[in-house]
Amino acid sequence: MKGKSLTDALHDIQSGNKENYIPEKDTLTISEKSKVSLSKVYGFATFYSMFSVKPRGKHIIRVCKSLSCHMGKAEEVIEKLEEVLGVEIGETTEDGEFTLEESSCLGMCSVSPAMMIDKIPFGNLTVDQIPEIIKKVKSEGSQEKIYTEQILPAQGRVVLKSVGVINPESIDEYIASRGYLALKKAIENGPQWVINELKKSELRGRGGAGFPTGRKWEFTAKAPGPQKYLICNADEGEPGTFKDRVIMEGDPHSIIEGMIIAAFATGCNNGYIYIRGEYDLSIRRIEKAIGDARSHGFLGRNILGSGFPFDIEIHKGAGSYVVGEETTLMESIEGHRGEPRKKPPYPPTFGLLGKPTVINNVETLANVPPIITNGADWYRTIRVPESYGTKLFSLSGDVNWKGVIEAPFGTRLSYIVNELGGGVRNGKKLRGVIFGGVSGTLLTPDQFDIPVDFNSLVTIEAGPGSGSIIVMDETRSIVNIAKNIAYFFKYESCGKCTPCRIGTEQLMNIIDRILEGSGKESDLEVIERLGQDMRLTSFCPLGQTAPNIIVQSIQKFRSKWLEHMKDKKLEGGGSYER
Ligand SMILES: Cc1cc2nc3c(=O)[nH]c(=O)nc-3n(C[C@H](O)[C@H](O)[C@H](O)COP(=O)(O)O)c2cc1C
Ligand code: SF4
């Protein structure tokens, strides 16, 4: 694809506009120049939450409202911001300095509650800090504030071996740590050898579905036609998930090297890395890594003198969870609203612009260099059959240690939370764990000893999902958690199909009613039936999985829902107004 993408063009217009928005005249200009209808350009601009078609303040404050931040009392942060700024959510201060907005997950769950002012993240917020932060931003502008992510030195580090060890902005340090050796070995042995090695390693995708990577690559390698694309999915929008950001910020070359090897094996000459717009530091680190890889001959027209041409472009997202779904992500790169495509056909044969396309998650691709360097046999020595290698877990919620953990598949969930994560905070008991994202599974203490691998999780109808683990202590209100999840899906549904568009709204309204004290026991049956209908009839996995945790919370904690209806008060205290 040639020229600037629609997302980049709109990002540029918005950031160059004093009132932080995309004026109608500019959408008109884009429409005329690109010969795309005005309604399409406008439809695109209004789909993504980071874009605005209405004037806003000089600084945009986006407060994360997703589950980990909600559990970290994001509501109190919002209330304080409203008080200090004298505006409500969605409004701009009279002096035009600030616009206050809510946001879905910002990927800062280990430092909740969190917010961003312009591109700068602020974590571990307390209400007392708010006046000072606002004063400072007003006088000095939004300053760089890089916090260091905690990485637990757990056993079995494969993907994170260099994170926190080498300087992520230095290609020399990456090379000194055996970087780009895998690429050389791949080129020496040829594409088919690489595919065979990947198949032998039995690496499975880390983006959620767990599809075997070697097989996916083989489909694209065998697909006819000279034009094929490779995409790295770095959209990471699942609440409670921030592991891909940690790789991008801490070891960007491992992803670039994985992408080049994947492209070499499958015959792709153009690559994209789609990074969510909220991850500014990741974008900058990947940008630098691509530039350095190019100047060292690892990217370009003739990689390492082999005659193999390949290059990578960054595509910046603009705020949408569903765009992480692979076909939706391709629609987004092509300049369309984030709506999923019908499958089949699948991306390996019909993907970006209708061409064969390999799409892999960041963590999947970061596994490739160690597999190629050390060999598939070495990789298969790491833990249990059919789940070889390690998995990254994003740990947050009511746990003593929050951050990213790398542990071999087969490690027990109880070990991850109690030993590596230091157990439930403040000596409280465990109520449950939201596992694999808010579209994943609600696990109760009796399931806590489950080994985390594909086969074991299937026995309890779960999967690793995004690898997020949100721990809930005994004081957490299940109804309140369900409400937060319903709100998230209602907001993120793309609206293409009725079961999800209406179903997510209905779920939210019923839970709202229960929280307001007018719930009836029959509401629980309605939620379960609605959940079943959404699972069976929604067009894509977003709508199919949106009711998962809510319905499971009724099945596993029915008495808590009934108690709530009877007492008409929120267990664990607090309020839920939004
Ligand atoms: C609603 C939704 C959101 C998703 N978000 C992401 C994401 O942020 N990152 C990701 O890698 N995969 C995400 N996926 C999964 C992708 O569709 C796809 O399976 C994945 O990128 C394939 O890579 P893998 O084989 O390496 O796992 C999402 C799926 C759905 C249904
Ligand atoms: S299930 Fe939801 S997100 Fe998926 S197509 Fe339907 S409305 Fe869109």
Side-chain angles (χ1 to χ4, degrees), residues 322 338-340 492-501 504 538-544:
V322 70
E339 293 181 0
E492 294 296 340
S493 165
C494 81
K496 175 175 170 142
C497 72
T498 314
C500 171
R501 186 180 63 247
T504 49
S538 292
F539 184 83
C540 89
L542 186 147
Q544 292 156 12

Side-chain angles (χ1 to χ4, degrees), residues 160-431:
L160 297 182
K161 82 172 170 35
S162 297
V163 173
V165 178
I166 63 168
N167 174 359
E169 299 199 356
S170 163
I171 192 169
D172 292 336
E173 289 195 24
Y174 182 72
I175 291 170
S177 66
R178 305 183 76 206
Y180 290 109
L181 268 190
L183 176 61
K184 286 178 191 148
K185 191 170 167 188
I187 290 175
E188 275 160 28
N189 288 283
Q192 191 55 51
W193 177 86
V194 176
I195 290 181
N196 290 345
E197 207 60 14
L198 256 289
K199 280 170 74 181
K200 200 165 143 199
S201 75
E202 293 191 41
L203 173 68
R204 293 174 67 166
R206 305 294 199 246
F211 194 83
T213 307
R215 272 178 57 207
K216 187 185 270 191
W217 290 11
E218 193 165 51
F219 289 139
T220 300
K222 286 187 175 161
Q227 181 63 64
K228 297 174 187 177
Y229 294 105
L230 176 92
I231 301 174
C232 171
N233 187 343
D235 197 47
E236 193 162 70
E238 182 74 47
T241 314
F242 45 99
K243 46 111 188 162
D244 291 343
R245 174 173 62 73
V246 166
I247 312 174
M248 286 189 279
E249 290 179 359
D251 193 13
H253 282 286
S254 66
I255 307 159
I256 305 299
E257 187 176 6
M259 287 180 76
I260 306 169
I261 295 169
F264 175 72
T266 53
C268 299
N269 300 129
N270 298 85
Y272 293 92
I273 176 161
Y274 190 110
I275 311 179
R276 62 185 309 211
E278 293 87 343
Y279 282 3
D280 187 58
L281 182 58
S282 297
I283 293 169
R284 284 186 281 133
R285 293 251 158 101
I286 292 284
E287 214 162 31
K288 167 115 180 53
I290 291 173
D292 289 347
R294 249 183 229 135
S295 61
H296 280 69
F298 299 126
L299 283 172
R301 287 169 192 268
N302 180 16
I303 294 175
L304 297 175
S306 65
F308 164 59
F310 177 67
D311 216 326
I312 301 174
E313 263 179 50
I314 294 178
H315 191 101
K316 202 158 81 168
S320 159
Y321 164 68
V322 70
V323 163
E325 192 279 328
E326 56 192 15
T327 62
T328 320
L329 188 143
M330 291 172 203
E331 290 286 301
S332 178
I333 296 180
E334 289 176 18
H336 309 303
R337 287 165 71 91
E339 293 181 0
R341 295 178 187 164
K342 190 173 140 307
K343 289 194 276 192
Y346 294 99
T349 51
F350 186 94
L352 188 63
L353 299 167
K355 304 293 178 201
T357 303
V358 174
I359 178 160
N360 276 128
N361 167 259
V362 168
E363 184 187 343
T364 313
L365 289 162
N367 266 283
V368 171
I371 291 174
I372 296 299
T373 305
N374 304 311
D377 290 334
W378 163 82
Y379 195 71
R380 288 168 65 91
T381 60
I382 308 172
R383 252 358 201 269
V384 290
E386 291 181 48
S387 298
Y388 298 108
T390 62
K391 178 78 198 88
L392 300 193
F393 298 101
S394 312
L395 197 53
S396 69
D398 299 322
V399 60
N400 278 315
W401 189 92
K402 302 181 202 182
V404 175
I405 284 173
E406 178 170 18
F409 272 117
T411 307
R412 288 186 191 276
L413 179 60
S414 53
Y415 184 82
I416 295 173
V417 174
N418 288 337
E419 301 300 321
L420 303 178
V424 181
R425 237 177 6 178
N426 301 327
K428 293 214 167 76
K429 287 203 190 112
L430 179 77
R431 170 148 292 168

